[in-house]
Amino acid sequence: MKSQAITGNFQEANVDAIAVAVFKDEKTTAPFLKELDKTTGGLIAGIFKDEDFKGDAGETALVRFAAGKGKPSRVLLIGVGKKEDYKVPAVGVLAGTAVRFLLKRNITSFVLVPRSEADAGEVAQVAMQSVITSQYGVDKYKTKDKNEKVVENFVLCVDGADAGALKSGLNRGEIVGESMNFTRDMCNEPANILHPTEMAKRAEKMAKETGLKCEILDEAKMKKLGMGSLLSVSIGSEQPPKMIVLKYEPKKSTGKKGELLAIVGKGVCFDTGGISLKPAEGMDAMKHDMTGGGTVIGTMRAIALLKPSIPVIGVVAAVENMPSGKATRPGDVVTAMNGKTIEVLNTDAEGRLILADAVAYAEKEGATTIVDMATLTGAVIIALGDLNTAVLGNDQDLINTIIECGKEVGEDYWQLPVGPGYSRQIKSDIADIKNIGAPRKAGTIAGAVFIQEFVDKAKWAHLDIAGTAWADDIKPHQGKGPTGVCIRTLLRMIEKSQ
Ligand code: BES
Ligand code: MN
Ligand code: ZN
């Protein structure tokens, strides 16, 4: 894809279409639309009148007109709602909507006129990211009927902006968008292809290409470290477990000495439930139970290329959860790396078992702040659906930062509580703790307070993405399938803490 930023004269751009944001109840008498209306010979005024186009968020209308050679001959009007509600994330929705609308009609080159008054670099970044992520599709394994249309030429026009700021924004947006798609590709892979060994291979290859340090801990190493909790999950599988450790070190750090952020992910490449076997219906969805891990790898890719000035470490616990003659049984007791004993009462509550050792390892590696991501509980889907990621943790400032950064990038988080009352519910009769809480009560919180048992002094937040990792419905700006959720929030958080 060719991309370019211009600072005016979009009607002269050498593309097929102009995609413009239209505010709610904006009249064609507004100077901007008046000019466009003139170009189209009054067709835009007609749309407002005849089709009752009001500029509500998500409304679209396409106008075709006669234009000079090499000039755009279509205008796509995209409603963005009230001007005062039009924030940077909405520019992403706008760009993605334009891409998907135009590609469906075989239009592969366009100029986007977002008309946002926000920082031009940010506008460029979010527009570019969305142009890339909106084209993502899940048809990799189709041999026919593949959707092969892609944007060939993307031009962004921000009137009067600084050209350098726009250009670097486009570059950053490309990094973020491609990193999100990198993660989404892993999530979409079936489990016969993306097992822990393959996941580790992809992380290693990415690390080599981007200059990150990468270490893969194998089963023997994990045994030596005493990761009995993680190993109790992988023991039933023919696929060996891998702990993927990625390290980013800035040339010159501006962070406080001794501070280290760790992002930690659940990488269950397939979750059958183990001996506590899941029902057949919908089990195929458990190929994306590695989304937390995939998110860590994609975020580390973006970090390596964006080069923030603070160090970050990424830890992924990659395993497969299978039933077999060697598998962990309900009632088994295992010992985690930090010495705590766990009664495994349900082998389907495996995410917390692998994260227990992963967060303990991150802290042992020097992490002072830990954010873990996991498709941990079905309960979070009941509570929040696919619109909010649950956030829980031991540090309110960290949680507030995540919620705030989420707002700024257009990802929603909702905090759930933790506390001694909930922690009591995971006490075991025969071991230190058990891996499930009270039956049918606060399942998402039970998962979080379990992981908390393995955090020592670090500030910690847990993001349960079971509801937000995968989109069941097509949106105007985003296809079905893996969403790449949390990556932008984490990157924002890192950007702000430099
Ligand atoms: N991977 C699942 C959670 C999940 C469900 C993710 C649906 C995405 C969509 C997790 O390992 C699991 O099985 N959790 C159990 C925990 C229970 C046994 C305490 C659940 O939520 O039912
Ligand atoms: Mn499970
Ligand atoms: Zn799982």
Side-chain angles (χ1 to χ4, degrees), residues 93-126:
V93 175
L94 171 85
T97 303
V99 166
R100 296 179 64 85
F101 186 102
L102 294 170
L103 282 183
K104 216 182 275 164
R105 289 154 184 86
N106 281 319
I107 302 168
T108 58
S109 76
F110 73 103
V111 54
L112 180 73
V113 189
R115 301 176 71 204
S116 163
E117 281 160 16
D119 177 81
E122 279 192 40
V123 168
Q125 175 175 337
V126 81

PDB file of all heavy atoms in Angstrom, residues 93-126:
ATOM      1  N   VAL A  93     -12.449   4.884  13.532  1.00  0.00           N
ATOM      2  CA  VAL A  93     -13.699   4.286  13.041  1.00  0.00           C
ATOM      3  C   VAL A  93     -14.009   4.844  11.652  1.00  0.00           C
ATOM      4  O   VAL A  93     -14.391   4.110  10.731  1.00  0.00           O
ATOM      5  CB  VAL A  93     -14.862   4.565  14.024  1.00  0.00           C
ATOM      6  CG1 VAL A  93     -16.179   4.045  13.469  1.00  0.00           C
ATOM      7  CG2 VAL A  93     -14.569   3.942  15.387  1.00  0.00           C
ATOM      8  N   LEU A  94     -13.810   6.131  11.501  1.00  0.00           N
ATOM      9  CA  LEU A  94     -14.041   6.792  10.207  1.00  0.00           C
ATOM     10  C   LEU A  94     -13.172   6.166   9.111  1.00  0.00           C
ATOM     11  O   LEU A  94     -13.666   5.775   8.047  1.00  0.00           O
ATOM     12  CB  LEU A  94     -13.710   8.289  10.335  1.00  0.00           C
ATOM     13  CG  LEU A  94     -13.698   9.095   9.045  1.00  0.00           C
ATOM     14  CD1 LEU A  94     -15.108   9.561   8.711  1.00  0.00           C
ATOM     15  CD2 LEU A  94     -12.775  10.314   9.157  1.00  0.00           C
ATOM     16  N   ALA A  95     -11.874   6.048   9.382  1.00  0.00           N
ATOM     17  CA  ALA A  95     -10.938   5.528   8.375  1.00  0.00           C
ATOM     18  C   ALA A  95     -11.278   4.082   8.017  1.00  0.00           C
ATOM     19  O   ALA A  95     -11.297   3.701   6.836  1.00  0.00           O
ATOM     20  CB  ALA A  95      -9.505   5.627   8.902  1.00  0.00           C
ATOM     21  N   GLY A  96     -11.569   3.280   9.048  1.00  0.00           N
ATOM     22  CA  GLY A  96     -11.888   1.872   8.815  1.00  0.00           C
ATOM     23  C   GLY A  96     -13.190   1.717   8.041  1.00  0.00           C
ATOM     24  O   GLY A  96     -13.317   0.843   7.175  1.00  0.00           O
ATOM     25  N   THR A  97     -14.169   2.557   8.364  1.00  0.00           N
ATOM     26  CA  THR A  97     -15.453   2.509   7.664  1.00  0.00           C
ATOM     27  C   THR A  97     -15.251   2.851   6.186  1.00  0.00           C
ATOM     28  O   THR A  97     -15.809   2.200   5.299  1.00  0.00           O
ATOM     29  CB  THR A  97     -16.452   3.506   8.312  1.00  0.00           C
ATOM     30  OG1 THR A  97     -16.575   3.186   9.692  1.00  0.00           O
ATOM     31  CG2 THR A  97     -17.810   3.439   7.649  1.00  0.00           C
ATOM     32  N   ALA A  98     -14.424   3.870   5.937  1.00  0.00           N
ATOM     33  CA  ALA A  98     -14.147   4.269   4.552  1.00  0.00           C
ATOM     34  C   ALA A  98     -13.517   3.107   3.791  1.00  0.00           C
ATOM     35  O   ALA A  98     -13.950   2.754   2.687  1.00  0.00           O
ATOM     36  CB  ALA A  98     -13.223   5.487   4.539  1.00  0.00           C
ATOM     37  N   VAL A  99     -12.511   2.477   4.393  1.00  0.00           N
ATOM     38  CA  VAL A  99     -11.804   1.377   3.733  1.00  0.00           C
ATOM     39  C   VAL A  99     -12.765   0.253   3.368  1.00  0.00           C
ATOM     40  O   VAL A  99     -12.816  -0.213   2.219  1.00  0.00           O
ATOM     41  CB  VAL A  99     -10.678   0.827   4.643  1.00  0.00           C
ATOM     42  CG1 VAL A  99     -10.173  -0.515   4.138  1.00  0.00           C
ATOM     43  CG2 VAL A  99      -9.538   1.833   4.731  1.00  0.00           C
ATOM     44  N   ARG A 100     -13.539  -0.186   4.345  1.00  0.00           N
ATOM     45  CA  ARG A 100     -14.398  -1.351   4.111  1.00  0.00           C
ATOM     46  C   ARG A 100     -15.527  -1.021   3.137  1.00  0.00           C
ATOM     47  O   ARG A 100     -15.910  -1.861   2.319  1.00  0.00           O
ATOM     48  CB  ARG A 100     -14.917  -1.899   5.446  1.00  0.00           C
ATOM     49  CG  ARG A 100     -13.757  -2.432   6.320  1.00  0.00           C
ATOM     50  CD  ARG A 100     -14.239  -2.968   7.650  1.00  0.00           C
ATOM     51  NE  ARG A 100     -15.110  -4.114   7.492  1.00  0.00           N
ATOM     52  CZ  ARG A 100     -14.694  -5.380   7.368  1.00  0.00           C
ATOM     53  NH1 ARG A 100     -13.409  -5.643   7.399  1.00  0.00           N
ATOM     54  NH2 ARG A 100     -15.559  -6.352   7.229  1.00  0.00           N
ATOM     55  N   PHE A 101     -16.042   0.185   3.213  1.00  0.00           N
ATOM     56  CA  PHE A 101     -17.105   0.609   2.295  1.00  0.00           C
ATOM     57  C   PHE A 101     -16.564   0.654   0.859  1.00  0.00           C
ATOM     58  O   PHE A 101     -17.183   0.127  -0.075  1.00  0.00           O
ATOM     59  CB  PHE A 101     -17.618   1.994   2.710  1.00  0.00           C
ATOM     60  CG  PHE A 101     -18.817   2.471   1.926  1.00  0.00           C
ATOM     61  CD1 PHE A 101     -20.089   2.410   2.485  1.00  0.00           C
ATOM     62  CD2 PHE A 101     -18.688   2.991   0.642  1.00  0.00           C
ATOM     63  CE1 PHE A 101     -21.206   2.856   1.778  1.00  0.00           C
ATOM     64  CE2 PHE A 101     -19.784   3.422  -0.075  1.00  0.00           C
ATOM     65  CZ  PHE A 101     -21.052   3.356   0.477  1.00  0.00           C
ATOM     66  N   LEU A 102     -15.405   1.257   0.688  1.00  0.00           N
ATOM     67  CA  LEU A 102     -14.866   1.457  -0.662  1.00  0.00           C
ATOM     68  C   LEU A 102     -14.356   0.153  -1.271  1.00  0.00           C
ATOM     69  O   LEU A 102     -14.583  -0.119  -2.455  1.00  0.00           O
ATOM     70  CB  LEU A 102     -13.761   2.517  -0.632  1.00  0.00           C
ATOM     71  CG  LEU A 102     -14.249   3.939  -0.261  1.00  0.00           C
ATOM     72  CD1 LEU A 102     -13.071   4.868  -0.021  1.00  0.00           C
ATOM     73  CD2 LEU A 102     -15.173   4.503  -1.342  1.00  0.00           C
ATOM     74  N   LEU A 103     -13.687  -0.671  -0.463  1.00  0.00           N
ATOM     75  CA  LEU A 103     -13.161  -1.931  -1.008  1.00  0.00           C
ATOM     76  C   LEU A 103     -14.297  -2.822  -1.499  1.00  0.00           C
ATOM     77  O   LEU A 103     -14.155  -3.520  -2.510  1.00  0.00           O
ATOM     78  CB  LEU A 103     -12.332  -2.678   0.045  1.00  0.00           C
ATOM     79  CG  LEU A 103     -10.916  -2.153   0.291  1.00  0.00           C
ATOM     80  CD1 LEU A 103     -10.187  -3.047   1.301  1.00  0.00           C
ATOM     81  CD2 LEU A 103     -10.106  -2.035  -0.988  1.00  0.00           C
ATOM     82  N   LYS A 104     -15.410  -2.784  -0.781  1.00  0.00           N
ATOM     83  CA  LYS A 104     -16.562  -3.590  -1.187  1.00  0.00           C
ATOM     84  C   LYS A 104     -17.015  -3.192  -2.587  1.00  0.00           C
ATOM     85  O   LYS A 104     -17.598  -3.980  -3.327  1.00  0.00           O
ATOM     86  CB  LYS A 104     -17.700  -3.378  -0.177  1.00  0.00           C
ATOM     87  CG  LYS A 104     -18.515  -4.637   0.080  1.00  0.00           C
ATOM     88  CD  LYS A 104     -19.652  -4.394   1.045  1.00  0.00           C
ATOM     89  CE  LYS A 104     -19.240  -4.501   2.492  1.00  0.00           C
ATOM     90  NZ  LYS A 104     -20.214  -3.922   3.418  1.00  0.00           N
ATOM     91  N   ARG A 105     -16.746  -1.940  -2.949  1.00  0.00           N
ATOM     92  CA  ARG A 105     -17.148  -1.444  -4.274  1.00  0.00           C
ATOM     93  C   ARG A 105     -15.946  -1.335  -5.213  1.00  0.00           C
ATOM     94  O   ARG A 105     -15.971  -0.550  -6.169  1.00  0.00           O
ATOM     95  CB  ARG A 105     -17.842  -0.099  -4.106  1.00  0.00           C
ATOM     96  CG  ARG A 105     -19.216  -0.270  -3.469  1.00  0.00           C
ATOM     97  CD  ARG A 105     -19.666   0.961  -2.717  1.00  0.00           C
ATOM     98  NE  ARG A 105     -20.944   0.709  -2.043  1.00  0.00           N
ATOM     99  CZ  ARG A 105     -21.068   0.164  -0.829  1.00  0.00           C
ATOM    100  NH1 ARG A 105     -19.992  -0.208  -0.150  1.00  0.00           N
ATOM    101  NH2 ARG A 105     -22.260  -0.029  -0.305  1.00  0.00           N
ATOM    102  N   ASN A 106     -14.902  -2.105  -4.877  1.00  0.00           N
ATOM    103  CA  ASN A 106     -13.711  -2.160  -5.744  1.00  0.00           C
ATOM    104  C   ASN A 106     -12.972  -0.849  -5.892  1.00  0.00           C
ATOM    105  O   ASN A 106     -12.283  -0.634  -6.887  1.00  0.00           O
ATOM    106  CB  ASN A 106     -14.079  -2.689  -7.132  1.00  0.00           C
ATOM    107  CG  ASN A 106     -14.212  -4.192  -7.100  1.00  0.00           C
ATOM    108  OD1 ASN A 106     -13.410  -4.872  -6.451  1.00  0.00           O
ATOM    109  ND2 ASN A 106     -15.233  -4.702  -7.754  1.00  0.00           N
ATOM    110  N   ILE A 107     -13.133   0.023  -4.953  1.00  0.00           N
ATOM    111  CA  ILE A 107     -12.393   1.291  -5.002  1.00  0.00           C
ATOM    112  C   ILE A 107     -11.189   1.151  -4.078  1.00  0.00           C
ATOM    113  O   ILE A 107     -11.345   0.947  -2.864  1.00  0.00           O
ATOM    114  CB  ILE A 107     -13.280   2.467  -4.558  1.00  0.00           C
ATOM    115  CG1 ILE A 107     -14.517   2.537  -5.462  1.00  0.00           C
ATOM    116  CG2 ILE A 107     -12.498   3.775  -4.585  1.00  0.00           C
ATOM    117  CD1 ILE A 107     -15.595   3.464  -4.969  1.00  0.00           C
ATOM    118  N   THR A 108      -9.996   1.218  -4.653  1.00  0.00           N
ATOM    119  CA  THR A 108      -8.794   0.880  -3.875  1.00  0.00           C
ATOM    120  C   THR A 108      -7.879   2.079  -3.627  1.00  0.00           C
ATOM    121  O   THR A 108      -6.791   1.913  -3.080  1.00  0.00           O
ATOM    122  CB  THR A 108      -7.987  -0.220  -4.593  1.00  0.00           C
ATOM    123  OG1 THR A 108      -7.659   0.267  -5.895  1.00  0.00           O
ATOM    124  CG2 THR A 108      -8.779  -1.510  -4.712  1.00  0.00           C
ATOM    125  N   SER A 109      -8.293   3.259  -4.060  1.00  0.00           N
ATOM    126  CA  SER A 109      -7.476   4.434  -3.724  1.00  0.00           C
ATOM    127  C   SER A 109      -8.395   5.565  -3.294  1.00  0.00           C
ATOM    128  O   SER A 109      -9.435   5.793  -3.897  1.00  0.00           O
ATOM    129  CB  SER A 109      -6.600   4.845  -4.910  1.00  0.00           C
ATOM    130  OG  SER A 109      -7.366   5.499  -5.879  1.00  0.00           O
ATOM    131  N   PHE A 110      -8.036   6.213  -2.203  1.00  0.00           N
ATOM    132  CA  PHE A 110      -8.883   7.306  -1.722  1.00  0.00           C
ATOM    133  C   PHE A 110      -8.106   8.283  -0.858  1.00  0.00           C
ATOM    134  O   PHE A 110      -7.039   7.973  -0.325  1.00  0.00           O
ATOM    135  CB  PHE A 110     -10.096   6.752  -0.943  1.00  0.00           C
ATOM    136  CG  PHE A 110      -9.778   6.205   0.423  1.00  0.00           C
ATOM    137  CD1 PHE A 110     -10.078   6.947   1.561  1.00  0.00           C
ATOM    138  CD2 PHE A 110      -9.194   4.958   0.585  1.00  0.00           C
ATOM    139  CE1 PHE A 110      -9.808   6.456   2.842  1.00  0.00           C
ATOM    140  CE2 PHE A 110      -8.916   4.460   1.843  1.00  0.00           C
ATOM    141  CZ  PHE A 110      -9.224   5.204   2.972  1.00  0.00           C
ATOM    142  N   VAL A 111      -8.679   9.485  -0.787  1.00  0.00           N
ATOM    143  CA  VAL A 111      -8.126  10.465   0.140  1.00  0.00           C
ATOM    144  C   VAL A 111      -9.117  10.595   1.294  1.00  0.00           C
ATOM    145  O   VAL A 111     -10.327  10.687   1.088  1.00  0.00           O
ATOM    146  CB  VAL A 111      -7.846  11.830  -0.545  1.00  0.00           C
ATOM    147  CG1 VAL A 111      -9.073  12.383  -1.261  1.00  0.00           C
ATOM    148  CG2 VAL A 111      -7.325  12.863   0.463  1.00  0.00           C
ATOM    149  N   LEU A 112      -8.586  10.546   2.509  1.00  0.00           N
ATOM    150  CA  LEU A 112      -9.429  10.665   3.706  1.00  0.00           C
ATOM    151  C   LEU A 112      -9.305  12.080   4.262  1.00  0.00           C
ATOM    152  O   LEU A 112      -8.201  12.581   4.452  1.00  0.00           O
ATOM    153  CB  LEU A 112      -8.983   9.655   4.769  1.00  0.00           C
ATOM    154  CG  LEU A 112      -9.784   9.665   6.070  1.00  0.00           C
ATOM    155  CD1 LEU A 112     -11.173   9.046   5.849  1.00  0.00           C
ATOM    156  CD2 LEU A 112      -9.057   8.890   7.173  1.00  0.00           C
ATOM    157  N   VAL A 113     -10.463  12.695   4.494  1.00  0.00           N
ATOM    158  CA  VAL A 113     -10.481  14.043   5.072  1.00  0.00           C
ATOM    159  C   VAL A 113     -11.184  13.961   6.426  1.00  0.00           C
ATOM    160  O   VAL A 113     -12.405  14.058   6.505  1.00  0.00           O
ATOM    161  CB  VAL A 113     -11.210  15.038   4.136  1.00  0.00           C
ATOM    162  CG1 VAL A 113     -11.026  16.464   4.625  1.00  0.00           C
ATOM    163  CG2 VAL A 113     -10.718  14.893   2.706  1.00  0.00           C
ATOM    164  N   PRO A 114     -10.417  13.722   7.493  1.00  0.00           N
ATOM    165  CA  PRO A 114     -11.058  13.441   8.793  1.00  0.00           C
ATOM    166  C   PRO A 114     -11.654  14.670   9.471  1.00  0.00           C
ATOM    167  O   PRO A 114     -12.507  14.530  10.325  1.00  0.00           O
ATOM    168  CB  PRO A 114      -9.925  12.837   9.625  1.00  0.00           C
ATOM    169  CG  PRO A 114      -8.664  13.219   8.951  1.00  0.00           C
ATOM    170  CD  PRO A 114      -8.963  13.510   7.522  1.00  0.00           C
ATOM    171  N   ARG A 115     -11.197  15.870   9.134  1.00  0.00           N
ATOM    172  CA  ARG A 115     -11.721  17.123   9.714  1.00  0.00           C
ATOM    173  C   ARG A 115     -11.681  17.118  11.236  1.00  0.00           C
ATOM    174  O   ARG A 115     -12.571  17.658  11.882  1.00  0.00           O
ATOM    175  CB  ARG A 115     -13.148  17.377   9.219  1.00  0.00           C
ATOM    176  CG  ARG A 115     -13.217  17.475   7.702  1.00  0.00           C
ATOM    177  CD  ARG A 115     -14.645  17.631   7.229  1.00  0.00           C
ATOM    178  NE  ARG A 115     -15.175  18.935   7.550  1.00  0.00           N
ATOM    179  CZ  ARG A 115     -16.472  19.190   7.671  1.00  0.00           C
ATOM    180  NH1 ARG A 115     -17.346  18.215   7.548  1.00  0.00           N
ATOM    181  NH2 ARG A 115     -16.893  20.404   7.939  1.00  0.00           N
ATOM    182  N   SER A 116     -10.650  16.491  11.791  1.00  0.00           N
ATOM    183  CA  SER A 116     -10.490  16.484  13.242  1.00  0.00           C
ATOM    184  C   SER A 116      -9.584  17.641  13.633  1.00  0.00           C
ATOM    185  O   SER A 116      -8.624  17.953  12.929  1.00  0.00           O
ATOM    186  CB  SER A 116      -9.868  15.164  13.686  1.00  0.00           C
ATOM    187  OG  SER A 116      -9.354  15.284  14.991  1.00  0.00           O
ATOM    188  N   GLU A 117      -9.893  18.254  14.774  1.00  0.00           N
ATOM    189  CA  GLU A 117      -9.038  19.358  15.227  1.00  0.00           C
ATOM    190  C   GLU A 117      -8.018  18.885  16.256  1.00  0.00           C
ATOM    191  O   GLU A 117      -7.285  19.674  16.835  1.00  0.00           O
ATOM    192  CB  GLU A 117      -9.910  20.490  15.782  1.00  0.00           C
ATOM    193  CG  GLU A 117     -10.489  21.311  14.644  1.00  0.00           C
ATOM    194  CD  GLU A 117     -11.719  22.122  15.032  1.00  0.00           C
ATOM    195  OE1 GLU A 117     -11.971  22.298  16.242  1.00  0.00           O
ATOM    196  OE2 GLU A 117     -12.427  22.557  14.111  1.00  0.00           O
ATOM    197  N   ALA A 118      -7.968  17.565  16.466  1.00  0.00           N
ATOM    198  CA  ALA A 118      -7.001  17.018  17.423  1.00  0.00           C
ATOM    199  C   ALA A 118      -5.588  17.079  16.837  1.00  0.00           C
ATOM    200  O   ALA A 118      -5.399  17.417  15.667  1.00  0.00           O
ATOM    201  CB  ALA A 118      -7.368  15.582  17.754  1.00  0.00           C
ATOM    202  N   ASP A 119      -4.614  16.741  17.661  1.00  0.00           N
ATOM    203  CA  ASP A 119      -3.214  16.742  17.256  1.00  0.00           C
ATOM    204  C   ASP A 119      -3.028  15.970  15.942  1.00  0.00           C
ATOM    205  O   ASP A 119      -3.435  14.816  15.816  1.00  0.00           O
ATOM    206  CB  ASP A 119      -2.395  16.089  18.374  1.00  0.00           C
ATOM    207  CG  ASP A 119      -0.943  15.979  18.005  1.00  0.00           C
ATOM    208  OD1 ASP A 119      -0.248  16.996  18.142  1.00  0.00           O
ATOM    209  OD2 ASP A 119      -0.527  14.898  17.551  1.00  0.00           O
ATOM    210  N   ALA A 120      -2.416  16.639  14.956  1.00  0.00           N
ATOM    211  CA  ALA A 120      -2.355  16.073  13.606  1.00  0.00           C
ATOM    212  C   ALA A 120      -1.591  14.742  13.567  1.00  0.00           C
ATOM    213  O   ALA A 120      -1.964  13.819  12.840  1.00  0.00           O
ATOM    214  CB  ALA A 120      -1.717  17.071  12.648  1.00  0.00           C
ATOM    215  N   GLY A 121      -0.520  14.650  14.356  1.00  0.00           N
ATOM    216  CA  GLY A 121       0.248  13.405  14.400  1.00  0.00           C
ATOM    217  C   GLY A 121      -0.595  12.241  14.905  1.00  0.00           C
ATOM    218  O   GLY A 121      -0.528  11.125  14.378  1.00  0.00           O
ATOM    219  N   GLU A 122      -1.405  12.531  15.923  1.00  0.00           N
ATOM    220  CA  GLU A 122      -2.270  11.478  16.474  1.00  0.00           C
ATOM    221  C   GLU A 122      -3.354  11.073  15.482  1.00  0.00           C
ATOM    222  O   GLU A 122      -3.704   9.898  15.364  1.00  0.00           O
ATOM    223  CB  GLU A 122      -2.917  11.957  17.771  1.00  0.00           C
ATOM    224  CG  GLU A 122      -2.004  11.825  18.954  1.00  0.00           C
ATOM    225  CD  GLU A 122      -2.765  12.017  20.258  1.00  0.00           C
ATOM    226  OE1 GLU A 122      -3.896  11.531  20.372  1.00  0.00           O
ATOM    227  OE2 GLU A 122      -2.199  12.683  21.132  1.00  0.00           O
ATOM    228  N   VAL A 123      -3.893  12.072  14.810  1.00  0.00           N
ATOM    229  CA  VAL A 123      -4.925  11.795  13.802  1.00  0.00           C
ATOM    230  C   VAL A 123      -4.339  10.892  12.708  1.00  0.00           C
ATOM    231  O   VAL A 123      -4.943   9.899  12.302  1.00  0.00           O
ATOM    232  CB  VAL A 123      -5.464  13.118  13.196  1.00  0.00           C
ATOM    233  CG1 VAL A 123      -6.301  12.850  11.950  1.00  0.00           C
ATOM    234  CG2 VAL A 123      -6.277  13.870  14.235  1.00  0.00           C
ATOM    235  N   ALA A 124      -3.133  11.230  12.270  1.00  0.00           N
ATOM    236  CA  ALA A 124      -2.493  10.435  11.220  1.00  0.00           C
ATOM    237  C   ALA A 124      -2.232   9.010  11.712  1.00  0.00           C
ATOM    238  O   ALA A 124      -2.459   8.028  10.996  1.00  0.00           O
ATOM    239  CB  ALA A 124      -1.177  11.098  10.795  1.00  0.00           C
ATOM    240  N   GLN A 125      -1.766   8.894  12.959  1.00  0.00           N
ATOM    241  CA  GLN A 125      -1.461   7.568  13.507  1.00  0.00           C
ATOM    242  C   GLN A 125      -2.708   6.690  13.554  1.00  0.00           C
ATOM    243  O   GLN A 125      -2.711   5.550  13.083  1.00  0.00           O
ATOM    244  CB  GLN A 125      -0.864   7.697  14.914  1.00  0.00           C
ATOM    245  CG  GLN A 125      -0.645   6.336  15.570  1.00  0.00           C
ATOM    246  CD  GLN A 125       0.052   6.420  16.923  1.00  0.00           C
ATOM    247  OE1 GLN A 125       0.757   7.391  17.229  1.00  0.00           O
ATOM    248  NE2 GLN A 125      -0.131   5.398  17.737  1.00  0.00           N
ATOM    249  N   VAL A 126      -3.776   7.232  14.106  1.00  0.00           N
ATOM    250  CA  VAL A 126      -4.971   6.406  14.288  1.00  0.00           C
ATOM    251  C   VAL A 126      -5.623   6.093  12.931  1.00  0.00           C
ATOM    252  O   VAL A 126      -6.124   4.977  12.717  1.00  0.00           O
ATOM    253  CB  VAL A 126      -5.945   7.081  15.289  1.00  0.00           C
ATOM    254  CG1 VAL A 126      -6.769   8.148  14.644  1.00  0.00           C
ATOM    255  CG2 VAL A 126      -6.829   6.068  15.963  1.00  0.00           C
TER     256      VAL A 126
END
